[in-house]
Amino acid sequence: MGTKGREIVGVDVKELINLLNKALSDEWLAFYQYWVGALVSKGKMHGEVEKELSQHAQEEFQHAEILAKRIIQLGGTPVIKPEDWYKLTNCGYDAPEDPDTQKLLIQNIKGEQCAISTYQKLIEFLGNRDIVTMHLLIEILEDEVEHEEDLEVLLEDLKSFK
Ligand code: FE
Ligand code: FE
Ligand code: MG
């Protein structure tokens, strides 16, 4: 990033990069949880659930890219080793061991709720500083809010499905 671009960040850049790497680790784990969950899913409304989960997987992947690119702009290095995802994650990884669609939805709703709080806290941490990062985080948060809603609507449909 250029001189003026760095100057307007106005936060402890090292701390910010660390927080963004934590969010990046969450996104990779969320990506995989959705991606593999979509593949193994079985049961009621299997087609719809699989479609939604794999769409969310792609969106979590995009979030990972947005975060990694911003980390680089800020002069940092995106997490290099997958083993570090587990050390840095805020939301953890909930393995889709039970492929039942309803169980998967409940697991992923929990994940989205954690993602929403994580981004909310990050945005609060920034306050009105580093509005470039702030803008990216708000866009991601909007997606996470939509993800939670999509999954909750699907879960309601599934409960009334005969
Ligand atoms: Fe995400
Ligand atoms: Fe999400
Ligand atoms: Mg969706």
Side-chain angles (χ1 to χ4, degrees):
M1 190 158 59
T3 320
K4 192 71 185 171
R6 256 197 309 273
E7 197 186 294
I8 61 163
V9 171
V11 278
D12 179 344
V13 176
K14 252 182 122 178
E15 187 182 4
L16 177 59
I17 289 167
N18 180 53
L19 292 171
L20 294 176
N21 263 322
K22 287 171 73 64
L24 175 60
S25 303
D26 288 329
E27 293 293 352
W28 272 110
L29 293 171
F31 163 78
Y32 195 75
Q33 190 177 314
Y34 273 126
W35 181 81
V36 80
L39 290 178
V40 299
S41 64
K42 275 186 197 152
K44 282 186 191 170
M45 293 177 59
H46 158 261
E48 284 106 313
V49 172
E50 182 182 358
K51 201 172 138 224
E52 196 67 39
L53 299 188
S54 53
Q55 196 203 344
H56 287 194
Q58 295 316 310
E59 287 163 1
E60 307 307 2
F61 177 75
Q62 288 167 9
H63 297 163
E65 270 194 328
I66 292 168
L67 293 168
K69 286 178 179 166
R70 184 60 182 158
I71 288 167
I72 290 168
Q73 270 191 337
L74 289 165
T77 308
V79 193
I80 294 296
K81 297 186 244 162
E83 67 211 60
D84 289 338
W85 294 341
Y86 264 89
K87 294 176 196 151
L88 292 168
T89 180
N90 302 289
C91 297
Y93 179 76
D94 219 353
E97 280 164 321
D98 186 337
D100 174 66
T101 45
Q102 182 163 341
K103 300 252 170 61
L104 292 178
L105 288 174
I106 292 167
Q107 265 181 339
N108 287 305
I109 289 167
K110 209 178 96 208
E112 290 299 341
Q113 289 171 344
C114 181
I116 291 169
S117 332
T118 299
Y119 286 108
Q120 176 68 32
K121 280 185 209 141
L122 249 170
I123 289 163
E124 282 167 12
F125 164 79
L126 284 178
N128 55 5
R129 303 170 303 175
D130 190 7
I131 49 177
V132 176
T133 300
M134 169 87 83
H135 174 74
L136 300 174
L137 296 174
I138 291 170
E139 283 188 335
I140 297 175
L141 178 60
E142 282 171 2
D143 284 351
E144 309 303 13
V145 166
E146 194 186 301
H147 287 171
E148 182 203 32
E149 188 190 9
D150 291 348
L151 299 182
E152 284 183 345
V153 168
L154 260 177
L155 183 60
E156 280 316 300
D157 287 356
L158 198 146
K159 283 178 180 163
S160 55
F161 184 89
K162 300 277 179 240

